[in-house]
Amino acid sequence: MFCCCIFLAVSLLHSLCHFHVSGYDRSCTEYPVFTPSALIVKYGDPANVTCVVCQKDCRGDVFGLEKAVGEVTENGTTMFWTVDRLTEWGIFVMCYYNNDAGDQCTSTLDLTLYQPPESVSISFVNHTGMMFENQQYTLQCSVQNVAPVQNLTVTFYRGNTALGHQQSNSEHKKPVNETFTLNITPSREDDGAQYWCEAKLELGPAGPQRPLVVTSEKLPAIVHCESERKKKNRFTFTCVIFMAVYVM
Ligand SMILES: *[C@@H]1O[C@H](CO)[C@@H](O)[C@H](O)[C@H]1NC(C)=O
Ligand SMILES: *[C@@H]1O[C@H](CO)[C@@H](O)[C@H](O)[C@H]1NC(C)=O
Ligand SMILES: *[C@@H]1O[C@H](CO)[C@@H](O)[C@H](O)[C@H]1NC(C)=O
Ligand SMILES: *[C@@H]1O[C@H](CO)[C@@H](O)[C@H](O)[C@H]1NC(C)=O
Ligand SMILES: *[C@@H]1O[C@H](CO)[C@@H](O)[C@H](O)[C@H]1NC(C)=O
């Protein structure tokens, strides 16, 4: 009995190992094929994919589709996976069969679940009230609840002019909040200008047709210059800049 248990445990471990690493097993002459080859799904949307387990090397009767959520229907060696609402982050869908050598040949579906930015806002870091010309201030663009953050691009604008594009350094499957910063040096020419930022989730040609773009509110700049009488009757202009939603 004891021996039997060990044997079972060892063979279970063996098959578990194969389960994970056998995707590139040398004895596999072909791998299961998913159609479409990649799925890009919005959080909460339905999804489906077909998997042909094998076309020539499928004499064995050990094959199937492993999934964390959803339903599978089978027709011979063709599997059809479907889910009504995809609301689980970081799930996998995997197709496999055991070949004559007893090795498991597997393919994992390239699945991206995305969430467009819920909101985008712009503000100054550690600054309120008036600003002075030729001094540096830091703008901050805050993007809430977006996934996957590695496909997010944030652009800062002054009017219609892009001041810079930024991307996240982190990778997450689940939605995150992320802030991006840009240093600016306002000048008197900024009078009437508007600063704002835009968050764009780019998922490539297989992604949604319409780009997923969310923009922040606009920060209008108002410049006040005053002449100041200095010694020896010389005048200088001092400009202060107001940039906040409340000055409107
Ligand atoms: C499978 O997904 C495609 C693409 O989203 C959709 O057009 C089709 O109606 C779905 N089929 C079923 C049976 O759910
Ligand atoms: C199963 O596949 C065969 C061959 O492709 C097809 O003729 C048959 O209609 C399919 N059956 C179902 C229930 O989809
Ligand atoms: C903002 O100010 C706080 C407190 O003075 C400081 O801890 C923080 O590092 C500052 N943030 C930036 C981005 O400078
Ligand atoms: C993102 O920010 C919102 C509002 O501040 C908060 O409710 C949410 O928990 C945050 N999400 C994460 C992943 O930190
Ligand atoms: C999304 O991000 C991943 C990881 O950084 C990258 O491999 C992929 O090419 C990105 N897709 C697009 C369309 O930019």
Side-chain angles (χ1 to χ4, degrees), residues 32-45:
V33 175
F34 284 103
T35 309
S37 60
L39 274 188
I40 300 179
V41 185
K42 185 179 173 188
Y43 181 84
D45 274 2

Side-chain angles (χ1 to χ4, degrees), residues 12 16 74 89 92 96 120-121 136 140 144 176 215:
L12 189 70
L16 270 177
E74 297 186 18
W89 298 97
F92 70 92
Y96 67 93
V120 178
S121 60
Q136 185 174 283
Q140 171 175 281
Q144 305 263 304
V176 294
T215 57

Side-chain angles (χ1 to χ4, degrees), residues 51-200:
C51 173
V52 173
V53 166
C54 53
Q55 272 160 336
K56 42 190 205 304
D57 195 15
C58 28
R59 283 178 291 268
D61 53 6
V62 181
F63 58 82
L65 185 145
E66 293 284 333
K67 81 275 189 280
V69 293
E71 302 300 325
V72 183
T73 49
E74 297 186 18
N75 183 3
T77 53
T78 300
M79 310 278 145
F80 184 69
W81 175 75
T82 174
V83 62
D84 293 339
R85 287 188 78 231
L86 193 49
T87 55
E88 302 277 325
W89 298 97
I91 64 147
F92 70 92
V93 174
M94 196 204 74
C95 234
Y96 67 93
Y97 71 95
N98 281 12
N99 68 6
D100 286 348
D103 286 321
Q104 197 162 59
C105 307
T106 71
S107 294
T108 305
L109 176 65
D110 180 1
L111 176 62
T112 304
L113 187 57
Y114 71 88
Q115 169 74 60
E118 193 173 277
S119 69
V120 178
S121 60
I122 193 165
S123 59
F124 281 95
V125 178
N126 284 349
H127 183 82
T128 52
M130 64 184 181
M131 291 182 275
F132 296 95
E133 273 197 295
N134 306 322
Q135 284 195 29
Q136 185 174 283
Y137 300 92
T138 305
L139 275 174
Q140 171 175 281
C141 187
S142 306
V143 184
Q144 305 263 304
N145 210 15
V146 63
V149 72
Q150 53 269 34
N151 294 95
L152 181 72
T153 304
V154 161
T155 309
F156 287 89
Y157 286 91
R158 177 186 180 272
N160 294 324
T161 309
L163 302 174
H165 303 283
Q166 294 187 17
Q167 276 178 307
S168 174
N169 299 320
S170 56
E171 276 198 29
H172 294 283
K173 286 192 167 142
K174 291 187 179 183
V176 294
N177 298 332
E178 185 123 344
T179 60
F180 300 82
T181 60
L182 179 79
N183 291 334
I184 61 162
T185 308
S187 73
R188 61 188 70 186
E189 280 80 49
D190 275 355
D191 193 30
Q194 292 186 318
Y195 286 89
W196 54 286
C197 65
E198 174 193 271
K200 190 190 225 174

